[in-house]
Amino acid sequence: MAEIHTDIVEENFYSDSNDSIQEDIHFQQFRKFFVPCMYVVVFICGLAGNFLVLVIHIFYQKRKSLTDMFLMNLPLADLLFVCTLPFWAYASIHEWVFGNIMCKTLLGIYTLNFYTSMLMLTCITVDRFIAVVRATKAYNEQAKRMTWGKAICLTVWVVSLLASLPQVIYGNVLHLDRSICRNNDEEIFTVILATQMTLGFFLPLLAMIVCYSVIIKTLLHVRGFQKHKSLKIIFLVVSVFLLTQTPYNLAKLIGSTSWEYETMISFDYAITVTEAIAYLRACLNPVLYAFVGVKFRKNFWKLVKDIGCPYLGPSSQWKSSEDTSKTCSASHNAEVTSMFQL
C-alpha cells in the first residue's frame, strides 16, 4: 500500500510539474506577442501626440500661462518615456542585447520621466485648484505664479532625477535563461517600488481627489458659466487616471505582500496586462490636457495651414467654442474657472 501511495504522489507531482511548464510556455508565448504590440502602439501614438503638443506650445502659443508651462513639461517627459519602449519591446521578444551601460541609461530615463510625468500631472491638478478656488488672487498674481512655476518645474525634474538614481546605480544585465535588464538588489527594489507607488500613484491620486472635489463644489456655485463642460473633463481626467494606473499599482501592491504571487502564472498575466494599460497614459495625456483646449485647437489648425495641408476652416462648432471663450473671458472668474481655456 505504501508503494502504491508513493507512486500516486510521484505521478501527481510530475503531472503538476508538466502543467506548470505548459502554463509557463503559454505565458511566454503570450508575452512575446502582447508586450511588443502594446509598446509599439504606445510608442507611435505617444510620439506623435506629445511631439505635436510640444511643437504647438513652443511655436504657436503666444500667451503662456502657468498651466501651459506644465503642459510643455508633460509631453517632454512622455516623449522621453516612449522613446525607451522600442528597446524594451525588442528585449521582450528576444533578450537584452544592448549592453550594461544602455541598461542603466534606459532604466534611468524610463524612471526619470515616469516620476516627472506623474508629478507634472499633480502640478496641473493643484494649479487648476488654485485658479478656480482662488480665482481673483490667481489672476492678480500671474507674474508671481509664473516665477514660482519655473521653480516648481525645475524642482520636479531634480526630484525625479534623484528618485531615478537607484535604478541607474543598481540596474544591471542579468544572465538567467536569457539576458534581462533589471534591478538585481531586492532591498533596493523594495525601496524603488515604494517610491514609485508613493510619487507615481498615491500622490497624484490624493491631489486629484482633494482638488477636483473642491473644484466641482466651486463650479456648481458659479453662475453664467458652462459648468457641465468643466465637470465632464474633470470626470474624464480622474476616470482615465484611475482606469489606467489603479490596476497596475494594485497588482504591484499585492505582489509585494507575499513572494508566493511571484510564482503564480496568473499573477504574471496580471502584471503584464496591467503594466501595458498603465503605459497608455503617455498616449492619453495629450488628448486630456491639450486637445480639449480651445486655444490648442485654434493653434492646431494654424499648424495644419502652415504645413500646407488642406484647410477647410473651423466649422460652426469651432466658432461657437471661440464665442464661448470670448464670453467666458468677460470676467476673471469665468476665465480662470474654464477647464477648456488651456
Side-chain angles (χ1 to χ4, degrees), residues 237-303:
V237 167
V238 176
S239 298
V240 168
F241 181 85
L242 290 176
L243 291 174
T244 58
Q245 303 304 312
T246 302
Y248 182 48
N249 283 276
L250 186 61
K252 288 195 298 183
L253 185 63
I254 293 173
S256 65
T257 59
S258 176
W259 64 270
E260 294 179 359
Y261 290 105
E262 299 293 334
T263 62
M264 296 171 58
I265 299 296
S266 58
F267 185 75
D268 291 335
Y269 277 104
I271 286 290
T272 302
V273 174
T274 56
E275 183 181 29
I277 293 173
Y279 289 173
L280 288 175
R281 64 179 170 78
C283 305
L284 298 174
N285 281 343
V287 178
L288 291 176
Y289 294 93
F291 285 104
V292 295
V294 173
K295 289 193 298 183
F296 184 88
R297 293 202 302 264
K298 289 169 62 179
N299 291 327
F300 171 75
W301 283 112
K302 290 179 184 178
L303 174 62

Side-chain angles (χ1 to χ4, degrees), residues 80-134:
L80 292 173
F81 167 77
V82 299
C83 285
T84 66
L85 294 181
F87 296 94
W88 303 118
Y90 181 88
S92 67
I93 299 175
H94 304 286
E95 62 178 353
W96 189 263
V97 297
F98 306 107
N100 204 45
I101 295 178
M102 278 293 287
C103 173
K104 291 177 176 290
T105 302
L106 290 178
L107 278 175
I109 293 174
Y110 167 86
T111 311
L112 166 68
N113 295 285
F114 167 78
Y115 286 127
T116 304
S117 180
M118 287 304 180
L119 290 176
M120 283 299 168
L121 292 182
T122 306
C123 290
I124 292 172
T125 301
V126 175
D127 173 58
R128 287 177 170 179
F129 169 81
I130 295 173
V132 173
V133 178
R134 302 278 187 118

